[in-house]
Amino acid sequence: MKDHDMNCPYRKRCGGCDYISMDYKEQLAHKQKAVGKLLQPFGKVEPIIGMESPWYYRNKVHGVVTGDRHGNCFTGIYAEKSHRVIRVDRCLIEDQKADEIMGTVTGLMKSFRMRPYNEDTGKGFLRHILIRTGHETGQIMVVLVTASPVFPSKNNFVKALRKVHPEITTIVANINNRNTSMILGDKQQVLYGKGYIEDQLCGKIYRISPKSFYQVNAVQTEILYGKALEYADLQGKENVFDAYSGIGTIGITASDHAGQVLCVENNRDAVRDAIANAKRNKVKNIRFVCADAGDFMVKMAAAGEKADLVFMDPPRAGSDRKFMNALFKLAPRKVVYISCNPETLQRDLRYMTSHGYKVKKMQPVDLFPMTRHVETVVLLTRNT
Ligand code: SAH
């Protein structure tokens, strides 16, 4: 598909895709320059690895539910810095089937007399729709975020939705009755199927629950993990530590090449998924701890534990001093840092390089075409 065939009607108002008006090649050049500016002081930045077909890649799709005066419902996104919802029926970076399902859900609402939730009045029922799809498996999870725990005619609703989309493999009701910008609430109820989807990544199968993190672009994630593993250059015996481990994807991918792997993650649901994932993939040399990565690192360092290699993959905010100070005590020979935010990466690399580490390699990978976001994997080694 040619770039000029792809014209997003929402590009001005949505604000999600800063680079969508540029050719993809130009986007990559822009990202290379931006990452270079931040990271070149640490060494050479390899050319960014782009995506072959940079459209419809997002396997996680979210819509805010809203409606018009005539009772027609639709989904959209919040306008920047506001709670006004801009209607979006079709997005060029989201999974197309997910967008279609979202339209079916809102289309069914009127006949079920289901009202969209109104944030100002606190009235109404359906707040958000979240859809996750397994890129390799084709499994689809629909999460209906509601303001109240009582789901009227839920069985009929599920039946009607599955009739139009028999490809849906699980449906979950999540209850969020708080005035919050968080999409998902604490309580949930499985309405159909297993309550999670599975996907295949780098030859392993992973289950993914509604609240667990999973990279949104599976195709590019395989390339990213491939690089991370190449940088790790494991020889089969190492003690590996996987921090901010999510559902265990990096640790499990590395486990075939390591002596043992220890993972830490603070999201309970993700840890539960990770334990199931290790079992499912018959990985025996891995353990998972549910804790704050910094706190846990401090404990490990105090106990005199050793690690040969640490993978760290923190959220956008980057890591923290607590984590990194303990990391310096643990003194692994190698650190593979995976970052979704070059600015916090720059900050953390500055700290690490002034505490005994040097940057060896840096590889940006385009996980988020059309947007300004960049993922980068960095290899650091300890000065000896
Ligand atoms: N490595 C995983 C997940 C990376 S996303 C993957 O590639 O899929 C970052 C993860 O860090 C999320 O799962 C998030 O829940 C977790 N996290 C965020 N802050 C944390 C903290 N302080 N301690 C431990 N885990 C944390």
Side-chain angles (χ1 to χ4, degrees), residues 201 211-215 221 224-225 242-251 264-267 270 289 291-295 312-316 318 320 323 338 340 375:
L201 196 72
K211 286 203 247 172
S212 299
F213 176 89
Y214 186 61
Q215 292 285 7
T221 300
L224 177 77
Y225 286 178
D242 175 11
Y244 311 92
S245 52
I247 59 169
T249 42
I250 294 174
V264 63
E265 158 65 44
N266 72 355
N267 176 327
V289 176
D292 171 78
D295 287 347
M312 53 190 283
D313 185 9
R316 286 189 60 73
D320 55 26
F323 180 92
I338 298 166
C340 57
E375 191 89 8

Side-chain angles (χ1 to χ4, degrees), residues 8-56:
C8 173
Y10 318 105
R11 67 175 72 188
K12 291 249 163 58
R13 284 170 303 152
C14 163
C17 291
D18 292 295
Y19 288 2
I20 200 163
S21 302
M22 288 179 210
D23 265 357
Y24 187 51
K25 263 197 179 150
E26 202 184 336
Q27 295 182 22
L28 293 175
H30 245 77
K31 291 188 185 189
Q32 188 71 30
K33 207 167 152 197
V35 176
K37 220 173 177 176
L38 290 162
L39 304 183
Q40 241 145 34
F42 304 103
K44 181 179 176 233
V45 180
E46 295 295 332
I48 187 166
I49 303 173
M51 197 173 184
E52 213 159 282
S53 170
W55 308 102
Y56 306 117

Side-chain angles (χ1 to χ4, degrees), residues 246-281:
I247 59 169
T249 42
I250 294 174
I252 289 173
T253 306
S255 67
D256 287 343
H257 313 279
Q260 46 196 326
V261 184
L262 181 57
C263 303
V264 63
E265 158 65 44
N266 72 355
N267 176 327
R268 227 163 256 292
D269 290 8
V271 174
R272 201 174 301 135
D273 285 347
I275 292 168
N277 290 335
K279 210 167 171 185
R280 170 80 199 262
N281 292 290

Side-chain angles (χ1 to χ4, degrees), residues 116-371:
Y117 179 75
N118 180 318
E119 291 203 4
D120 299 324
T121 61
K123 292 209 173 99
F125 180 67
L126 196 58
R127 293 186 81 160
H128 305 273
I129 304 169
L130 183 77
I131 299 179
R132 292 180 105 166
T133 50
H135 179 259
E136 289 296 317
T137 59
Q139 295 183 16
I140 301 174
M141 167 164 66
V142 178
V143 184
L144 303 167
V145 184
T146 69
S148 103
V150 187
F151 200 119
S153 7
K154 69 179 174 210
N155 293 340
N156 285 336
F157 192 83
V158 165
K159 221 189 217 164
L161 180 56
R162 287 193 50 232
K163 192 161 177 220
V164 187
H165 296 289
E167 64 275 21
I168 294 172
T169 50
T170 189
I171 303 173
V172 178
N174 176 286
I175 299 115
N176 187 352
N177 49 17
R178 282 177 304 182
N179 193 357
T180 164
S181 59
M182 299 273 287
I183 298 169
L184 297 177
D186 293 333
K187 292 208 180 78
Q188 49 196 35
Q189 186 192 8
V190 177
L191 303 182
Y192 170 74
K194 294 182 191 157
Y196 56 82
I197 52 158
E198 290 160 314
D199 198 14
Q200 191 175 329
L201 196 72
C202 302
K204 309 273 191 216
I205 299 273
Y206 295 97
R207 81 170 218 194
I208 308 150
S209 297
K211 286 203 247 172
S212 299
F213 176 89
Y214 186 61
Q215 292 285 7
V216 296
N217 184 337
V219 170
Q220 293 297 89
T221 300
E222 290 208 325
I223 295 172
L224 177 77
Y225 286 178
K227 270 287 156 197
L229 221 63
E230 179 194 315
Y231 283 4
D233 191 28
L234 294 165
Q235 303 296 319
K237 293 219 163 59
E238 293 89 341
N239 272 335
V240 172
F241 187 64
D242 175 11
Y244 311 92
S245 52
I247 59 169
T249 42
I250 294 174
I252 289 173
T253 306
S255 67
D256 287 343
H257 313 279
Q260 46 196 326
V261 184
L262 181 57
C263 303
V264 63
E265 158 65 44
N266 72 355
N267 176 327
R268 227 163 256 292
D269 290 8
V271 174
R272 201 174 301 135
D273 285 347
I275 292 168
N277 290 335
K279 210 167 171 185
R280 170 80 199 262
N281 292 290
K282 300 194 171 57
V283 177
K284 302 244 159 60
N285 58 343
I286 199 163
R287 276 188 302 139
F288 299 94
V289 176
C290 185
D292 171 78
D295 287 347
F296 185 68
M297 205 64 165
V298 169
K299 272 193 202 142
M300 278 194 47
E305 298 260 2
K306 288 282 165 241
D308 300 302
L309 180 133
V310 171
F311 288 105
M312 53 190 283
D313 185 9
R316 286 189 60 73
S319 193
D320 55 26
R321 292 273 166 115
K322 192 199 263 179
F323 180 92
M324 287 186 285
N325 289 336
L327 177 86
F328 304 146
K329 282 209 184 107
L330 216 66
R333 209 163 45 78
K334 279 185 189 176
V335 177
V336 177
Y337 190 141
I338 298 166
S339 157
C340 57
N341 182 351
E343 274 152 22
T344 55
L345 176 64
Q346 181 201 45
R347 181 199 67 203
D348 291 350
L349 289 183
R350 218 180 262 145
Y351 194 60
M352 292 168 88
T353 50
S354 62
H355 287 80
Y357 281 88
K358 58 174 172 285
V359 172
K360 287 289 203 186
K361 290 176 186 169
M362 293 184 276
Q363 175 68 66
V365 181
D366 194 20
L367 256 65
F368 314 103
M370 310 303 140
T371 79

